Coordinates of all heavy atoms in Angstrom, one line a residue:
M246 N 3.3 -4.3 -17.2 CA 2.1 -4.0 -17.8 C 2.2 -2.7 -18.7 O 1.5 -1.8 -18.6 CB 1.0 -3.8 -16.8 CG 1.0 -4.9 -15.8 SD -0.6 -5.5 -15.3 CE -1.3 -6.2 -16.7
D247 N 3.2 -2.8 -19.6 CA 3.5 -1.6 -20.4 C 2.4 -1.2 -21.3 O 2.3 0.0 -21.7 CB 4.8 -1.9 -21.3 CG 6.0 -2.0 -20.4 OD1 6.1 -1.4 -19.3 OD2 7.0 -2.7 -20.8
D248 N 1.6 -2.1 -21.7 CA 0.5 -1.8 -22.7 C -0.8 -1.5 -22.0 O -1.9 -1.5 -22.6 CB 0.3 -3.0 -23.6 CG 1.5 -3.2 -24.5 OD1 2.2 -2.2 -24.8 OD2 1.7 -4.4 -25.0
M249 N -0.8 -1.2 -20.7 CA -2.0 -1.0 -19.9 C -2.1 0.5 -19.6 O -1.1 1.2 -19.4 CB -1.9 -1.8 -18.6 CG -3.2 -1.6 -17.8 SD -3.0 -2.7 -16.4 CE -4.6 -3.5 -16.4
R250 N -3.3 1.0 -19.6 CA -3.6 2.4 -19.3 C -4.6 2.4 -18.1 O -5.6 1.6 -18.2 CB -4.2 3.1 -20.5 CG -4.6 4.5 -20.1 CD -5.2 5.2 -21.3 NE -5.7 6.5 -20.9 CZ -6.1 7.4 -21.6 NH1 -5.9 7.3 -22.9 NH2 -6.6 8.6 -21.2
L251 N -4.4 3.2 -17.1 CA -5.3 3.3 -16.0 C -5.8 4.7 -15.9 O -5.0 5.6 -15.7 CB -4.5 2.9 -14.7 CG -5.3 2.7 -13.4 CD1 -6.2 1.5 -13.6 CD2 -4.3 2.4 -12.3
D252 N -7.1 4.9 -16.1 CA -7.7 6.2 -15.9 C -8.3 6.3 -14.5 O -9.1 5.4 -14.1 CB -8.8 6.4 -17.0 CG -8.3 6.4 -18.4 OD1 -7.2 7.0 -18.6 OD2 -9.0 5.9 -19.3
I253 N -7.9 7.3 -13.8 CA -8.4 7.5 -12.4 C -9.0 8.8 -12.3 O -8.4 9.8 -12.7 CB -7.2 7.4 -11.4 CG1 -6.5 6.0 -11.5 CG2 -7.7 7.6 -10.0 CD1 -5.3 5.9 -10.7
M254 N -10.2 8.9 -11.8 CA -10.9 10.2 -11.5 C -11.4 10.2 -10.1 O -12.0 9.2 -9.6 CB -12.2 10.3 -12.4 CG -12.8 11.7 -12.3 SD -14.2 11.8 -13.4 CE -15.5 11.8 -12.2
Y255 N -11.0 11.3 -9.4 CA -11.4 11.5 -8.0 C -12.5 12.5 -8.0 O -12.3 13.7 -8.3 CB -10.2 11.9 -7.2 CG -10.6 12.3 -5.7 CD1 -11.4 11.4 -5.0 CD2 -10.1 13.4 -5.2 CE1 -11.7 11.8 -3.7 CE2 -10.4 13.7 -3.8 CZ -11.2 12.9 -3.1 OH -11.5 13.2 -1.8
A256 N -13.7 12.1 -7.5 CA -14.9 13.0 -7.3 C -14.9 13.5 -5.9 O -15.2 12.8 -5.0 CB -16.2 12.3 -7.7
V257 N -14.4 14.8 -5.7 CA -14.2 15.3 -4.4 C -15.6 15.4 -3.6 O -15.6 14.9 -2.5 CB -13.6 16.7 -4.5 CG1 -13.5 17.4 -3.1 CG2 -12.2 16.7 -5.1
Q258 N -16.6 15.9 -4.2 CA -17.9 16.0 -3.6 C -18.4 14.6 -3.1 O -19.0 14.6 -2.0 CB -18.9 16.6 -4.5 CG -18.6 18.0 -4.9 CD -18.7 19.0 -3.8 OE1 -17.7 19.4 -3.3 NE2 -19.9 19.4 -3.4
D259 N -18.3 13.6 -3.9 CA -18.8 12.3 -3.5 C -17.8 11.5 -2.7 O -18.1 10.4 -2.1 CB -19.1 11.5 -4.8 CG -20.2 12.1 -5.6 OD1 -21.1 12.8 -5.0 OD2 -20.2 12.0 -6.8
H260 N -16.5 11.9 -2.6 CA -15.4 11.3 -1.9 C -15.3 9.8 -2.5 O -15.3 8.9 -1.7 CB -15.6 11.3 -0.4 CG -14.4 11.0 0.3 ND1 -13.2 11.7 0.2 CD2 -14.1 10.0 1.2 CE1 -12.3 11.2 1.0 NE2 -12.7 10.2 1.6
E261 N -15.3 9.7 -3.8 CA -15.2 8.5 -4.5 C -14.1 8.5 -5.6 O -13.9 9.6 -6.2 CB -16.5 8.0 -5.1 CG -17.6 7.7 -4.1 CD -18.8 7.2 -4.7 OE1 -19.1 7.5 -5.9 OE2 -19.6 6.6 -4.1
V262 N -13.4 7.4 -5.8 CA -12.4 7.3 -6.8 C -13.0 6.3 -7.8 O -13.4 5.2 -7.5 CB -11.1 6.8 -6.3 CG1 -10.1 6.7 -7.4 CG2 -10.5 7.8 -5.3
Y263 N -13.0 6.7 -9.1 CA -13.4 5.8 -10.2 C -12.2 5.4 -11.0 O -11.4 6.2 -11.4 CB -14.4 6.5 -11.1 CG -15.5 7.1 -10.3 CD1 -15.6 8.5 -10.2 CD2 -16.5 6.4 -9.7 CE1 -16.6 9.1 -9.4 CE2 -17.5 6.9 -8.9 CZ -17.6 8.3 -8.8 OH -18.6 8.9 -8.1
I264 N -12.1 4.1 -11.2 CA -10.9 3.5 -11.9 C -11.4 2.8 -13.2 O -12.3 2.0 -13.1 CB -10.1 2.6 -11.1 CG1 -9.7 3.3 -9.8 CG2 -8.9 2.0 -11.8 CD1 -9.1 2.4 -8.8
N265 N -10.7 3.0 -14.3 CA -11.0 2.3 -15.5 C -9.7 1.9 -16.1 O -8.8 2.7 -16.4 CB -11.7 3.3 -16.5 CG -12.2 2.6 -17.8 OD1 -11.9 1.5 -18.0 ND2 -12.8 3.4 -18.6
A266 N -9.5 0.6 -16.2 CA -8.2 0.1 -16.8 C -8.4 -0.4 -18.2 O -9.4 -1.1 -18.5 CB -7.7 -1.1 -15.9
K267 N -7.5 -0.1 -19.1 CA -7.6 -0.4 -20.5 C -6.3 -1.0 -20.9 O -5.2 -0.7 -20.4 CB -7.9 0.8 -21.4 CG -9.3 1.4 -21.0 CD -9.4 2.7 -21.9 CE -10.7 3.4 -21.5 NZ -10.9 4.6 -22.2
C268 N -6.3 -1.8 -21.9 CA -5.1 -2.3 -22.5 C -5.2 -2.2 -24.0 O -6.3 -2.2 -24.6 CB -4.7 -3.7 -22.1 SG -5.8 -5.0 -22.7
Y269 N -4.1 -2.2 -24.7 CA -4.1 -2.2 -26.2 C -4.1 -3.6 -26.7 O -3.3 -4.4 -26.2 CB -2.9 -1.4 -26.7 CG -2.9 0.1 -26.3 CD1 -2.3 0.6 -25.2 CD2 -3.7 0.9 -27.1 CE1 -2.4 1.9 -24.9 CE2 -3.8 2.3 -26.8 CZ -3.2 2.8 -25.7 OH -3.3 4.1 -25.4
A270 N -5.0 -3.9 -27.5 CA -5.1 -5.3 -28.0 C -5.6 -5.3 -29.5 O -6.3 -4.4 -29.9 CB -6.2 -6.0 -27.2
G271 N -5.1 -6.2 -30.2 CA -5.5 -6.3 -31.6 C -4.8 -5.3 -32.5 O -3.6 -5.0 -32.4
K272 N -5.7 -4.6 -33.3 CA -5.2 -3.6 -34.2 C -4.5 -2.4 -33.5 O -5.0 -2.1 -32.4 CB -6.3 -3.1 -35.1 CG -6.9 -4.1 -36.0 CD -8.1 -3.6 -36.8 CE -8.7 -4.6 -37.7 NZ -9.8 -4.1 -38.4
P273 N -3.5 -1.8 -34.1 CA -2.9 -0.6 -33.4 C -3.9 0.4 -33.1 O -4.8 0.8 -33.9 CB -1.9 -0.1 -34.5 CG -1.6 -1.3 -35.3 CD -2.9 -2.1 -35.3
G274 N -3.8 0.9 -31.9 CA -4.7 2.0 -31.4 C -6.0 1.5 -30.8 O -6.8 2.3 -30.3
R275 N -6.3 0.2 -30.9 CA -7.6 -0.3 -30.4 C -7.4 -0.7 -28.9 O -6.4 -1.3 -28.5 CB -8.0 -1.5 -31.2 CG -9.2 -2.2 -30.6 CD -9.7 -3.3 -31.5 NE -10.5 -2.7 -32.5 CZ -11.1 -3.4 -33.5 NH1 -10.9 -4.7 -33.6 NH2 -11.9 -2.9 -34.4
Q276 N -8.3 -0.2 -28.1 CA -8.2 -0.4 -26.7 C -9.3 -1.4 -26.2 O -10.4 -1.3 -26.8 CB -8.3 0.9 -25.9 CG -7.2 1.8 -26.0 CD -7.3 3.0 -25.1 OE1 -8.2 3.1 -24.3 NE2 -6.4 4.0 -25.3
K277 N -9.0 -2.1 -25.2 CA -10.0 -3.0 -24.7 C -10.1 -2.8 -23.2 O -9.1 -2.7 -22.5 CB -9.6 -4.5 -24.9 CG -10.5 -5.5 -24.3 CD -10.0 -6.9 -24.5 CE -10.9 -7.9 -23.9 NZ -10.4 -9.3 -24.1
E278 N -11.3 -2.5 -22.7 CA -11.5 -2.3 -21.3 C -11.5 -3.6 -20.5 O -12.2 -4.6 -20.9 CB -12.9 -1.6 -21.0 CG -13.1 -1.2 -19.6 CD -14.4 -0.3 -19.5 OE1 -14.3 0.9 -19.7 OE2 -15.4 -0.9 -19.2
I279 N -10.6 -3.7 -19.5 CA -10.5 -4.9 -18.8 C -10.9 -4.8 -17.3 O -11.0 -5.9 -16.7 CB -9.0 -5.5 -18.9 CG1 -8.1 -4.4 -18.3 CG2 -8.7 -5.8 -20.3 CD1 -6.6 -5.0 -18.2
F280 N -11.1 -3.6 -16.8 CA -11.5 -3.5 -15.4 C -12.0 -2.1 -15.2 O -11.6 -1.1 -15.8 CB -10.2 -3.7 -14.5 CG -10.5 -3.3 -13.1 CD1 -11.0 -4.3 -12.2 CD2 -10.2 -2.1 -12.6 CE1 -11.2 -4.0 -10.9 CE2 -10.4 -1.8 -11.3 CZ -10.9 -2.7 -10.4
Y281 N -13.0 -2.0 -14.3 CA -13.5 -0.8 -13.9 C -14.0 -0.9 -12.4 O -14.5 -2.0 -12.1 CB -14.6 -0.1 -14.8 CG -15.8 -1.0 -14.9 CD1 -16.9 -0.8 -14.1 CD2 -15.9 -1.9 -15.9 CE1 -18.0 -1.5 -14.2 CE2 -17.0 -2.7 -16.0 CZ -18.1 -2.5 -15.2 OH -19.2 -3.3 -15.3
G282 N -13.9 0.1 -11.6 CA -14.4 0.0 -10.3 C -14.4 1.3 -9.6 O -14.0 2.3 -10.1
T283 N -14.9 1.3 -8.3 CA -15.1 2.5 -7.5 C -14.5 2.2 -6.2 O -14.6 1.1 -5.6 CB -16.6 2.8 -7.3 OG1 -17.2 3.0 -8.6 CG2 -16.8 4.0 -6.5
I284 N -13.7 3.2 -5.7 CA -13.2 3.1 -4.3 C -13.9 4.2 -3.5 O -14.0 5.3 -3.9 CB -11.7 3.4 -4.3 CG1 -11.0 2.3 -5.1 CG2 -11.2 3.4 -2.8 CD1 -9.5 2.5 -5.2
D285 N -14.5 3.8 -2.4 CA -15.2 4.8 -1.5 C -15.0 4.5 -0.1 O -14.2 3.6 0.3 CB -16.7 4.8 -1.9 CG -17.4 3.5 -1.6 OD1 -16.7 2.5 -1.1 OD2 -18.6 3.4 -1.9
G286 N -15.5 5.3 0.8 CA -15.4 5.1 2.2 C -14.0 5.3 2.7 O -13.3 6.2 2.2
D287 N -13.6 4.5 3.7 CA -12.3 4.7 4.4 C -11.1 4.4 3.5 O -10.0 4.8 3.7 CB -12.2 3.8 5.6 CG -13.2 4.1 6.7 OD1 -13.7 5.3 6.7 OD2 -13.6 3.3 7.5
A288 N -11.3 3.6 2.4 CA -10.3 3.2 1.5 C -9.8 4.4 0.6 O -8.7 4.3 0.1 CB -10.7 2.1 0.6
V289 N -10.6 5.4 0.5 CA -10.2 6.5 -0.4 C -8.9 7.2 0.0 O -8.0 7.4 -0.8 CB -11.4 7.6 -0.6 CG1 -10.9 8.8 -1.3 CG2 -12.6 6.9 -1.2
E290 N -8.8 7.6 1.2 CA -7.6 8.3 1.7 C -6.3 7.5 1.5 O -5.3 8.1 1.1 CB -7.8 8.7 3.2 CG -8.8 9.8 3.4 CD -8.6 11.1 2.6 OE1 -7.4 11.5 2.4 OE2 -9.6 11.6 2.2
G291 N -6.4 6.2 1.8 CA -5.2 5.4 1.6 C -4.8 5.3 0.1 O -3.7 5.3 -0.3
F292 N -5.9 5.2 -0.8 CA -5.6 5.1 -2.2 C -5.0 6.4 -2.7 O -4.1 6.4 -3.5 CB -6.8 4.7 -3.0 CG -6.6 4.6 -4.4 CD1 -6.0 3.4 -4.9 CD2 -7.0 5.6 -5.3 CE1 -5.7 3.3 -6.3 CE2 -6.7 5.4 -6.7 CZ -6.1 4.3 -7.2
L293 N -5.6 7.5 -2.3 CA -5.0 8.8 -2.7 C -3.6 9.0 -2.2 O -2.7 9.6 -3.0 CB -5.9 10.0 -2.2 CG -7.3 10.0 -2.8 CD1 -8.1 11.1 -2.1 CD2 -7.3 10.2 -4.3
A294 N -3.3 8.6 -1.0 CA -1.9 8.7 -0.5 C -1.0 7.8 -1.3 O 0.1 8.2 -1.7 CB -1.9 8.2 1.0
F295 N -1.4 6.6 -1.7 CA -0.6 5.7 -2.6 C -0.3 6.4 -3.9 O 0.8 6.4 -4.4 CB -1.3 4.4 -2.8 CG -0.7 3.6 -3.8 CD1 0.4 2.8 -3.5 CD2 -1.2 3.6 -5.1 CE1 1.0 2.0 -4.5 CE2 -0.6 2.8 -6.1 CZ 0.5 2.0 -5.8
C296 N -1.4 7.1 -4.5 CA -1.2 7.7 -5.8 C -0.2 8.9 -5.7 O 0.6 9.1 -6.5 CB -2.5 8.2 -6.3 SG -3.6 6.9 -6.8
R297 N -0.3 9.7 -4.6 CA 0.6 10.8 -4.4 C 2.0 10.3 -4.2 O 3.0 10.9 -4.8 CB 0.2 11.7 -3.2 CG -1.0 12.6 -3.5 CD -1.2 13.5 -2.3 NE -1.7 12.9 -1.1 CZ -2.9 12.6 -0.8 NH1 -3.9 13.0 -1.6 NH2 -3.3 12.0 0.3
K298 N 2.2 9.3 -3.4 CA 3.6 8.7 -3.2 C 4.2 8.2 -4.4 O 5.4 8.3 -4.6 CB 3.4 7.6 -2.1 CG 4.8 7.0 -1.8 CD 4.6 5.9 -0.7 CE 5.9 5.2 -0.5 NZ 5.8 4.1 0.5
N299 N 3.4 7.6 -5.3 CA 3.9 7.0 -6.6 C 3.7 7.9 -7.8 O 3.9 7.4 -8.9 CB 3.3 5.6 -6.7 CG 3.7 4.7 -5.7 OD1 4.8 4.2 -5.7 ND2 2.9 4.5 -4.7
S300 N 3.4 9.1 -7.6 CA 3.2 10.1 -8.7 C 2.2 9.6 -9.8 O 2.4 9.7 -11.0 CB 4.5 10.4 -9.4 OG 5.4 11.0 -8.4
V301 N 1.1 8.9 -9.3 CA 0.1 8.5 -10.2 C -0.8 9.6 -10.6 O -1.3 10.4 -9.8 CB -0.8 7.4 -9.6 CG1 -1.9 6.9 -10.4 CG2 0.1 6.2 -9.2
M302 N -0.9 9.8 -11.9 CA -1.8 10.9 -12.4 C -3.2 10.6 -12.3 O -3.6 9.4 -12.5 CB -1.4 11.2 -13.9 CG 0.0 11.5 -14.1 SD 0.5 13.2 -14.4 CE -0.7 13.9 -15.4
M303 N -4.1 11.6 -12.0 CA -5.5 11.4 -12.0 C -6.2 12.7 -12.3 O -5.7 13.7 -12.1 CB -6.0 10.8 -10.6 CG -6.0 11.8 -9.5 SD -6.6 11.2 -8.0 CE -5.2 10.1 -7.5
E304 N -7.5 12.5 -12.7 CA -8.3 13.7 -12.9 C -9.1 14.0 -11.7 O -9.7 13.0 -11.1 CB -9.3 13.4 -14.1 CG -10.2 14.6 -14.4 CD -11.2 14.3 -15.5 OE1 -11.1 13.3 -16.2 OE2 -12.1 15.1 -15.7
V305 N -9.1 15.2 -11.2 CA -9.8 15.5 -10.0 C -11.0 16.4 -10.4 O -10.9 17.4 -11.0 CB -8.9 16.3 -9.0 CG1 -9.7 16.8 -7.8 CG2 -7.7 15.5 -8.6
F306 N -12.2 15.9 -10.0 CA -13.4 16.5 -10.3 C -14.0 17.1 -9.0 O -14.4 16.4 -8.1 CB -14.4 15.5 -11.0 CG -15.7 16.1 -11.4 CD1 -15.8 17.0 -12.4 CD2 -16.8 15.8 -10.6 CE1 -17.0 17.6 -12.7 CE2 -18.1 16.3 -11.0 CZ -18.2 17.2 -12.0
D307 N -14.1 18.4 -9.0 CA -14.6 19.1 -7.8 C -15.7 20.0 -8.2 O -15.4 21.1 -8.7 CB -13.5 19.8 -7.1 CG -13.9 20.4 -5.7 OD1 -15.1 20.4 -5.4 OD2 -13.0 20.9 -5.0
E308 N -16.9 19.7 -7.9 CA -18.1 20.5 -8.3 C -18.1 21.9 -7.6 O -18.7 22.8 -8.2 CB -19.4 19.7 -8.0 CG -19.6 18.5 -8.8 CD -20.9 17.8 -8.5 OE1 -21.5 18.1 -7.5 OE2 -21.3 16.9 -9.2
S309 N -17.5 22.0 -6.5 CA -17.4 23.3 -5.8 C -16.6 24.3 -6.6 O -16.7 25.5 -6.4 CB -16.9 23.1 -4.4 OG -15.5 22.8 -4.4
E310 N -15.8 23.8 -7.5 CA -15.0 24.8 -8.3 C -15.7 25.2 -9.6 O -15.2 26.1 -10.3 CB -13.7 24.1 -8.7 CG -12.8 23.8 -7.5 CD -11.5 23.1 -7.9 OE1 -11.3 22.8 -9.1 OE2 -10.7 22.8 -7.0
L311 N -16.9 24.6 -9.9 CA -17.6 25.0 -11.1 C -18.4 26.3 -10.9 O -18.8 26.7 -9.9 CB -18.5 23.8 -11.5 CG -17.8 22.5 -11.8 CD1 -18.9 21.5 -12.1 CD2 -16.9 22.7 -13.0

């Protein structure tokens, strides 16, 4: 999936992970959104562990730091 981009944001306060998958399609530089979703509840810790183990980059949003 070389032409795919996965944007991941972890909202610490809400304990939710938001995922937005995009791929490049058509004209150069044009992206098409193909998937979006939310991970919450007990699945969050497992997903975060998977991301750490596989060096998956994500944006961490923590309102307590603002």
Side-chain angles (χ1 to χ4, degrees):
M246 309 225 63
D247 293 333
D248 294 333
M249 183 177 228
R250 176 180 171 166
L251 190 64
D252 294 324
I253 303 171
M254 186 178 110
Y255 174 46
V257 175
Q258 296 294 101
D259 299 328
H260 197 57
E261 291 182 339
V262 177
Y263 309 108
I264 302 170
N265 184 357
K267 299 176 184 176
C268 68
Y269 293 96
K272 296 180 181 178
R275 178 175 271 178
Q276 291 185 8
K277 179 180 179 183
E278 186 172 274
I279 57 173
F280 171 83
Y281 60 92
T283 303
I284 298 174
D285 60 6
D287 295 336
V289 171
E290 291 304 324
F292 183 76
L293 293 176
F295 170 83
C296 290
R297 284 190 290 272
K298 180 180 177 183
N299 293 284
S300 301
V301 176
M302 305 256 319
M303 75 177 69
E304 179 180 353
V305 177
F306 180 70
D307 186 352
E308 290 178 351
S309 68
E310 295 178 359
L311 299 178

